[in-house]
Amino acid sequence: MDVTLMRAHNDLSGAMRTQSPGSEDEMTKTRVAIVGAGTVGLSAALHLARSGKFDIIVLEAEYIAEGSSSRSIGIVETQYMDEFDIAVRAFGLRFVEELVASDGLHFNRNGYLRLGDSDEALERYACSVDLQKRHGIDDARVLGKSEIKSLVPHLEMGDRAGGLYGPSDGYLDGHLFANLMGDIARRNGATIMQKAKVLGATCGRGEEIVLDTTRGPIVADVVVNAAGGWAGRVGELLDAPVTMNPQRHQAITVTLNKPLGYTMTSVMDYVPGSGRAGLYFRHENKASLFAGLHTEETIQEASDPDRVSYNADEAFTEQIAEALAERLPGLEGAGLGRGWAGMYPMSFDQQPVVGPHPADARVYCALGAGGNGIQLAPAIGKTVAEYLEGVAPSMAGPGSKWDSTRIATSDPALAGVNLQGAQQ
């Protein structure tokens, strides 16, 4: 099925090129419309634009990074247990490092520490260190309690066994990251159209897709659904449905009454698959930290991204205050300042969905990155570009965790949908 979908797309692209008006150069290019100008959509635009094989337009309902990307705390790290999860994040870290060198992206390399609550957890962390070395991350290491206390003197470790530490990890500004990728995509010929909300989609002449937007019709050969928390709605408009469970998550500023005297590493007191949300916090500047609760599982009701409050609520503030008092009891006089909320665009199985949609090979999924969109965007964008270039994806193709064909058997949104046409 995977090969069939890729061949169907390649055949379709060749047929559409012969119908495209314009210069000879334009006639050789597939027209790609990307819905969503967050980090995922703009990463796809950047990678496609660099290839020189596509006419690319990015359609954004509001403004660049208006959704989850601008509300992220921007951590980029590789401290995971599964090799695939490490590989795609290692690529993301290298991508960020390249933009630091080539375009002056500001990356705050303060390190990242994942706490562990048992000797068994530390054994898994030791395996992670070995896996990370396979993917070019040579400095990750397991730390004991005393080493962690030296690294983060304010941290309470009485109920923790140690941690997994990546000194090369860090954080960036999601809004600036998205805009920089947008600038690079534009330099390579892409168009970014803001205030261009997609209202509907119909098939045009031949196999074209005509997108009805608030700024007029857009004709494309291929559409990439990178709409974040709105990806479910966009999928319905494209007749390429996918179940999304957007989760509202909050973060808050921790105001310090005096400088720490050191740059605090990012600390995550959550282990993927644990079934609970965990406290995280990171350095922001000499006078403040950022803190919140993180999970990569769907543990709450889905939220409507158009109706949800983007302000922090009182119950969350109280929960964070209690968690910080337990984990950072040495921060005497610290207080809580401005809080905000953002969306984790979770898929039906909490994994990103990347590749051709089973119901329509002209629609590509680049969605479901959850609360990891900043660090996964580079790998998602590259994977979309590889699919559209007709080459085997180097990281996340058929058979991987992100394989889009799993929608056909796992996603309730596709129940009763006839997939025969997409598979021919």
Side-chain angles (χ1 to χ4, degrees):
M1 181 174 174
D2 305 323
V3 175
T4 303
L5 282 171
M6 290 183 68
R7 287 176 178 167
H9 164 66
N10 292 337
D11 293 343
L12 197 57
S13 297
M16 287 184 285
R17 288 188 193 113
T18 64
Q19 299 171 7
S20 301
S23 67
E24 182 176 350
D25 180 63
E26 289 173 336
M27 290 174 65
T28 65
K29 294 185 177 182
T30 301
R31 296 164 295 179
V32 180
I34 300 171
V35 183
T39 52
V40 171
L42 291 170
S43 172
L46 179 153
H47 283 93
L48 288 167
R50 280 178 169 174
S51 76
K53 299 176 182 179
F54 305 93
D55 286 329
I56 303 147
I57 185 167
V58 182
L59 303 173
E60 169 55 47
E62 294 298 332
Y63 298 100
I64 289 175
E66 184 81 2
S68 300
S69 298
S70 63
R71 296 178 172 88
S72 168
I73 65 163
I75 289 178
V76 179
E77 48 87 19
T78 61
Q79 309 315 309
Y80 275 71
M81 308 304 110
D82 177 83
E83 185 168 9
F84 176 84
D85 294 333
I86 291 169
V88 292
R89 287 169 172 81
F91 177 82
L93 181 59
R94 290 192 296 271
F95 180 85
V96 166
E97 292 170 340
E98 290 169 4
L99 292 189
V100 169
S102 64
D103 290 83
L105 175 66
H106 185 56
F107 182 53
N108 302 275
R109 186 159 267 162
N110 66 323
Y112 181 95
L113 175 68
R114 188 184 294 281
L115 299 181
D117 61 1
S118 66
D119 290 339
E120 290 77 11
L122 299 191
E123 290 175 4
R124 293 194 298 272
Y125 290 177
C127 292
S128 172
V129 170
D130 292 336
L131 290 173
Q132 290 187 62
K133 288 179 180 177
R134 294 185 192 176
H135 296 279
I137 309 298
D138 297 323
D139 57 357
R141 59 186 186 269
V142 178
L143 301 182
K145 288 187 178 185
S146 61
E147 293 171 296
I148 291 176
K149 287 294 290 184
S150 296
L151 181 68
V152 189
H154 291 87
L155 193 62
E156 171 56 47
M157 288 293 296
D159 59 345
R160 294 293 180 260
L164 177 61
Y165 179 55
S168 292
D169 298 337
Y171 66 93
L172 47 73
D173 184 299
H175 189 269
L176 295 178
F177 184 42
N179 274 277
L180 177 57
M181 287 194 290
D183 289 343
I184 296 170
R186 287 191 188 99
R187 292 203 301 265
N188 286 275
T191 298
I192 300 175
M193 186 178 291
Q194 301 178 85
K195 300 297 288 186
K197 183 177 182 178
V198 175
L199 305 174
T202 58
C203 290
R205 58 188 177 85
E207 297 293 343
E208 296 172 339
I209 298 175
V210 180
L211 299 176
D212 178 24
T213 82
T214 50
R215 294 187 60 183
I218 300 295
V219 180
D221 304 321
V222 174
V223 178
V224 178
N225 183 356
W230 292 264
R233 295 179 185 175
V234 170
E236 291 176 2
L237 295 175
L238 295 169
D239 287 330
V242 60
T243 298
M244 294 296 295
N245 295 297
Q247 304 286 292
R248 178 178 178 266
H249 282 262
Q250 303 170 74
I252 198 164
T253 303
V254 181
T255 58
L256 305 174
N257 67 334
K258 61 181 180 179
L260 295 174
Y262 62 95
T263 298
M264 183 177 283
T265 191
S266 299
V267 177
M268 179 64 75
D269 196 11
Y270 164 78
V271 176
S274 64
R276 62 172 181 83
L279 175 71
Y280 68 83
F281 44 89
R282 71 155 173 83
H283 173 86
E284 173 59 10
N285 53 48
K286 291 182 179 180
S288 64
L289 311 173
F290 281 167
L293 298 172
H294 178 74
T295 180
E296 294 168 16
E297 300 147 76
T298 303
I299 60 175
Q300 61 192 52
E301 293 296 320
S303 298
D304 182 342
D306 286 324
R307 299 172 64 89
V308 71
S309 170
Y310 288 102
N311 298 314
D313 55 52
E314 184 176 348
F316 167 78
T317 302
E318 293 174 354
Q319 190 176 7
I320 287 290
E322 182 177 339
L324 287 171
E326 179 179 341
R327 192 58 58 200
L328 291 173
L331 289 185
E332 296 178 3
L336 296 180
R338 181 182 67 90
W340 70 96
M343 301 302 296
Y344 281 17
M346 309 289 279
S347 75
F348 55 91
D349 62 1
Q350 296 87 53
Q351 288 291 331
V353 181
V354 186
H357 194 284
D360 191 337
R362 300 168 301 173
V363 176
Y364 276 70
C365 298
L367 49 86
N372 293 287
I374 297 291
Q375 58 188 359
L376 295 182
I380 293 174
K382 181 175 176 61
T383 300
V384 169
E386 289 172 332
Y387 267 118
L388 288 171
E389 289 169 0
V391 301
S394 56
M395 290 177 287
S400 75
K401 283 185 176 183
W402 294 359
D403 186 354
S404 57
T405 61
R406 74 187 195 275
I407 299 174
T409 55
S410 304
D411 189 350
L414 233 62
V417 174
N418 182 5
L419 302 181
Q420 182 178 356
Q423 298 175 26
Q424 289 178 347

